[in-house]
Amino acid sequence: MARRTLVASATAALGAGLVSAGCGAVQGTRARRGTDRTRAGLVLRLPPPTGPYRDRIGVAALYLVDRSRRDPWEAGIAVREVMVSVFYPARDVGAGHPVTHPVTHPVTHPVAHPVAHPVAHPVAPQMSGGAAEVFRAVDVAVHRLPKKGVDWGATRTHAHTGAPAEPVRRPVLLYTPGGGDARTLGTGTAEELASHGYVVVTVDHPGDAGEVEFPVARAGRGLVRPTVFRGDPRARPRQFRTMIDARIADLRFVLDQLAALAAGRNPDAAGRALPAGLGRALDLRRVGVYGHSAGGTAAAQVMDEDRRIRAAVNLEGFLDRPSDTPGREPEPYPVARQGADRPLLLLGSEHFPARRELERSWSALLAHGGGGTRRDRIDGAAHWVFSDYGALAPQLQGAGLMPAEDRNALVGAIDPAVSVPRVRHLVHGFFARHLPVPGPGR
């Protein structure tokens, strides 16, 4: 679980993961030479993907509305809304045809000047503008990030907005982030998996997620919806159960909407156009799920509940829920009580502060054996190494903007040249064994 203490005026949390290009260790003056700056500060970079589709990844955001459920966090919202990003191998991300954009004169009052720019599918930002503002207001304090000197909204992904999908049916992987975190904190791993031929759907859980920006307004919320958390949900048993139950329901609903997309319908509730061929790229007979922290809890349990999911990765999420009765032991989730009957990877870090509690819940599941459950650990790492912070925090330290003790508490002292490839290798390797992508010509 993300252990947060949020002030009442806070409006959210979000990831801006990065590492210097090439994912090497970023130290001292070398980091300063290898990064860019804008007027607003340092521009951080996500590590590039390494798979065969690394130069042609597409991305699309979908706004999904479940009218059969009320929002679990806000009584004034009569439906359940979910935002997702879909990363996929693209058929083409080329420059396309020249288009005309109005350009404001840099000195005088705004005047439109038609200028041709050959842009068809621009590279997407990691965070939307509204999300970046909320991130700057909250997560900087929550995770002891620099209060100034960083342009949090300038980070770019390696994925091209709206690029046409390659017309090949591919395994689908769902990602659910840590408690209180937004889906963007998992951008690096999502791009890596997409570069190896998967369709990856990163899911925001509004009300839980630090901040979620929507394409349209709705009664009961603004365009950017902040988290309701004001502390560690695991210390509040009812809130923790609501969080995990809502995430499981969200993931199952997203699978329903992907089935509609694969059938040729547009599930986007705002009616926005979809990338060409996106629905035809989904092979929903081969679905996996992975998640970090609370997302790891939800990933393991949703596989237990939904037979459509064939494999899952739990990145340091508890497999029990705290009791309402003080002093009573936490109650294992059904997946821990019964064991997993499909492949499940439990992946932890060496310096997770709650290792003893985590071990208790994982041991209950592992005692059952069978089902292909295995576990591994990232030595020298801390809890957020599984998110984009694994690449972000070392870059901030190398630029002289984050002290070593804060970086180590967040992701550990491990070099990102080791940790980023290690996390990617373990997650991709697991899914490659159990949900292999189609070979050439298939």
Side-chain angles (χ1 to χ4, degrees):
M1 275 298 308
R3 297 181 177 273
R4 297 172 171 262
T5 303
L6 304 181
V7 296
S9 62
T11 49
L14 169 51
L18 316 134
V19 74
S20 60
C23 206
V26 185
Q27 301 293 337
T29 58
R30 184 157 62 92
R32 296 185 181 93
R33 290 197 302 268
T35 53
D36 298 325
R37 292 183 180 273
T38 66
R39 189 172 298 176
L42 186 73
V43 177
L44 301 170
R45 299 173 184 170
L46 286 165
T50 65
Y53 297 98
R54 60 187 176 273
D55 294 324
R56 49 187 179 101
I57 300 172
V59 66
L62 298 180
Y63 168 48
L64 308 176
V65 177
D66 185 352
R67 302 186 185 281
S68 70
R69 288 188 292 154
R70 297 189 66 88
D71 187 85
W73 302 110
E74 298 288 353
I77 302 178
V79 296
R80 179 57 174 166
E81 303 170 288
V82 179
M83 289 295 299
V84 307
S85 291
V86 185
F87 296 85
Y88 53 90
R91 186 178 72 240
D92 175 36
V93 296
H97 302 288
V99 294
T100 301
H101 298 293
V103 175
T104 300
H105 193 279
V107 178
T108 62
H109 59 280
V111 178
H113 297 280
V115 177
H117 295 289
V119 176
H121 304 293
V123 173
Q126 184 184 25
M127 289 186 274
S128 63
E133 289 300 316
V134 170
F135 175 83
R136 185 179 295 111
V138 177
D139 261 25
V140 162
V142 170
H143 288 303
R144 298 182 180 181
L145 303 173
K147 295 182 179 179
K148 58 183 179 180
V150 182
D151 188 347
W152 298 106
T155 302
R156 288 293 181 265
T157 70
H158 302 90
H160 296 258
T161 302
E166 189 176 69
V168 175
R169 296 283 183 187
R170 300 182 176 282
V172 176
L173 305 177
L174 306 182
Y175 169 71
T176 172
D181 290 331
R183 71 190 193 273
T184 47
L185 265 175
T187 297
T189 299
E191 290 188 327
E192 175 70 3
L193 292 167
S195 80
H196 285 280
Y198 291 90
V199 175
V200 184
V201 182
T202 62
V203 182
D204 262 337
H205 305 282
D208 168 346
E211 74 295 315
V212 182
E213 183 159 9
F214 297 94
V216 295
R218 179 181 290 275
R221 64 156 173 81
L223 283 176
V224 181
R225 181 177 173 183
T227 183
V228 301
F229 296 161
R230 296 295 180 264
D232 180 3
R234 194 160 173 88
R236 298 165 171 81
R238 183 174 299 179
Q239 190 177 69
F240 182 85
R241 290 196 299 271
T242 298
M243 173 176 64
I244 301 303
D245 290 348
R247 283 165 173 258
I248 291 170
D250 288 347
L251 292 168
R252 300 186 74 171
F253 169 65
V254 169
L255 275 179
D256 293 340
Q257 298 304 291
L258 293 177
L261 177 58
R265 299 190 293 275
N266 183 353
D268 188 87
R272 296 174 299 175
L274 301 176
L278 184 59
R280 294 193 298 274
L282 305 176
D283 184 353
L284 295 176
R285 300 167 302 172
R286 296 182 291 166
V287 176
V289 59
Y290 67 106
H292 174 227
S293 198
T297 307
Q301 184 55 35
V302 75
M303 183 178 74
D304 186 68
E305 297 182 18
D306 197 319
R307 301 302 301 184
R308 292 176 293 182
I309 299 171
R310 296 178 54 181
V313 176
N314 174 354
L315 303 171
E316 208 155 65
F318 295 102
L319 292 178
D320 57 17
R321 49 195 167 202
S323 172
D324 283 321
T325 304
R328 180 173 292 181
E329 289 292 309
E331 177 189 5
Y333 274 99
V335 67
R337 289 200 308 269
Q338 303 160 8
D341 63 355
R342 279 154 285 163
L344 172 63
L345 172 63
L346 304 176
L347 185 56
S349 67
E350 181 181 5
H351 299 299
F352 183 39
R355 279 182 60 195
R356 180 175 298 179
E357 294 89 340
L358 183 76
E359 183 65 31
R360 176 187 57 212
S361 71
W362 283 15
S363 294
L365 184 150
L366 290 164
H368 293 279
T373 301
R374 60 180 290 256
R375 66 180 300 173
D376 212 322
R377 190 177 82 172
I378 309 293
D379 290 333
H383 188 55
W384 274 274
V385 76
F386 301 111
S387 73
D388 286 338
Y389 283 124
L392 176 150
Q395 187 175 355
L396 293 172
Q397 183 197 359
L401 295 172
M402 188 176 195
E405 57 268 28
D406 291 345
R407 170 257 178 94
N408 294 348
L410 194 63
V411 301
I414 188 171
D415 192 317
V418 175
S419 66
V420 172
R422 176 72 172 150
V423 172
R424 289 176 167 190
H425 171 74
L426 288 169
V427 175
H428 171 241
F430 174 82
F431 286 123
R433 283 191 299 275
H434 301 293
L435 296 171
V437 299
R442 294 180 60 188

